[in-house]
Amino acid sequence: MRFLSLAHLSAIDLDPPALIRAAADGGFDAVGLRLLQVTPTSPGYPLWEDAHLLRETRAALRETGVTVHDIEFVRITPDTDVDALLQFLDIGAELGAREVITAPYDPDHARMAENLGRLSDAASQRGLGIVLEFFPWTDIRTVDDALRLATQAGPSVGVLPDSLHFDRSGSSLDTLAALPPERLRFAHLCDAPVLPAYNETILLYAAREERLLPGKGQIDLAAYLQALPAGLPLGIEVPRTKNFQSIGGAKLIKETGESVRSFLKSLMT
């Protein structure tokens, strides 16, 4: 069975200690922590500003054996200030994270690559990797776009595919399968309906609010997973806001873990 990490967006209203404990109960090996707020309507958890929450997070990691796989996410914009992100990187390193997720929000690709490179240098000094996620509503829409930018940014900047964005951007399975190990270090997994066309409202709603558990939608996840290395870690990112509100985060995460393991096992038979 693959190494499975629970992305924070799957239950973003749980603070890090609660997420870690629920992930352990759900059978996950690790979590991704959203330490930076991404949208005005969703929380971030800047642990360097809250000593009590940081202590509780450390305690939850010790008690459960769950690890922190990644921290997220840094929007690379025209105003990105790497020095202002050093506390974020320091906390990630202190918690044992492996990767930092970044997102492309600068129309000047040369400047974005430069900032990614500088962030990668700062992260590597702390034992962290940098990965660039691509989204169909940004300039960096596809896996090919992301690979070009990551290559421009530096030799250790990775590419993060998410099955939702991969499918909805019409990305190439051939490019995905050909990504070298230094570029492809983990991937996100979820499912969703496949529609004839998408506008930005549809794209953002699925991305942030409502996805489907693997095997419950129409994305060709078998082909997606076949293009990935067999042992590649998977981050399970399945926000289901309505279910969270009705059954609560702990039950939702346990259901998510059971469903993902069942789906992956079905692909092996």
Side-chain angles (χ1 to χ4, degrees):
M1 188 60 67
R2 291 179 187 259
F3 179 96
L4 299 180
S5 178
L6 179 70
H8 209 151
L9 187 60
S10 297
I12 192 61
D13 288 325
L14 294 184
D15 66 16
L19 184 81
I20 291 162
R21 292 189 171 96
D25 192 46
F28 288 91
D29 302 292
V31 294
L33 294 181
R34 180 162 289 189
L35 302 184
L36 296 174
Q37 186 174 23
V38 175
T39 72
T41 58
S42 63
Y45 300 91
L47 295 176
W48 57 93
E49 297 178 358
D50 190 330
H52 173 73
L53 192 59
L54 179 58
R55 284 195 301 271
E56 289 298 308
T57 299
R58 290 195 194 108
L61 293 171
R62 287 194 305 269
E63 291 164 12
T64 63
V66 168
T67 60
V68 177
H69 180 268
D70 54 84
I71 56 173
E72 63 171 13
F73 66 66
V74 179
R75 293 168 63 100
I76 307 296
T77 71
D79 301 318
T80 293
D81 179 358
V82 173
D83 289 340
L85 295 166
L86 296 183
Q87 285 182 299
F88 163 76
L89 297 177
D90 286 340
I91 287 293
E94 180 184 326
L95 295 176
R98 305 180 190 183
E99 303 284 352
V100 178
I101 300 175
T102 67
Y105 285 92
D106 188 346
D108 185 329
H109 293 183
R111 179 175 57 203
M112 184 156 52
E114 181 179 353
N115 280 326
L116 268 174
R118 291 180 61 237
L119 185 63
S120 179
D121 290 343
S124 66
Q125 293 170 10
R126 294 159 171 80
L128 296 163
I130 293 291
V131 293
L132 177 69
E133 191 168 6
F134 56 94
F135 306 100
W137 59 86
T138 69
D139 283 350
I140 308 301
R141 296 174 49 84
T142 68
V143 65
D144 287 278
D145 295 338
L147 178 59
R148 280 192 292 270
L149 189 65
T151 302
Q152 187 178 355
S156 59
V157 176
V159 172
L160 174 58
D162 181 301
S163 52
L164 177 73
H165 310 315
F166 185 90
D167 182 77
R168 293 189 169 190
S169 65
S171 283
S172 164
L173 285 167
D174 290 339
T175 301
L176 183 63
L179 287 174
E182 64 270 20
R183 299 293 182 189
L184 180 59
R185 301 193 291 269
F186 74 108
H188 278 164
L189 182 69
C190 70
D191 211 339
V194 173
L195 306 177
Y198 307 94
N199 58 37
E200 186 169 325
T201 299
I202 293 172
L203 292 170
L204 290 174
Y205 180 72
R208 297 171 177 175
E209 301 287 341
E210 294 292 340
R211 307 190 194 185
L212 297 176
L213 292 167
K216 304 298 184 183
Q218 290 82 48
I219 296 175
D220 189 351
L221 294 181
Y224 174 77
L225 289 168
Q226 188 173 9
L228 302 175
L232 192 75
L234 295 177
I236 308 305
E237 189 165 64
V238 192
R240 294 184 292 147
T241 304
K242 294 175 183 175
N243 293 72
F244 183 95
Q245 292 169 348
S246 62
I247 67 175
K251 187 173 181 180
L252 179 136
I253 289 172
K254 189 164 188 176
E255 179 182 273
T256 298
E258 291 171 351
S259 181
V260 169
R261 288 190 296 274
S262 176
F263 172 75
L264 292 174
K265 186 177 180 180
S266 74
L267 296 181
M268 300 169 61
T269 59

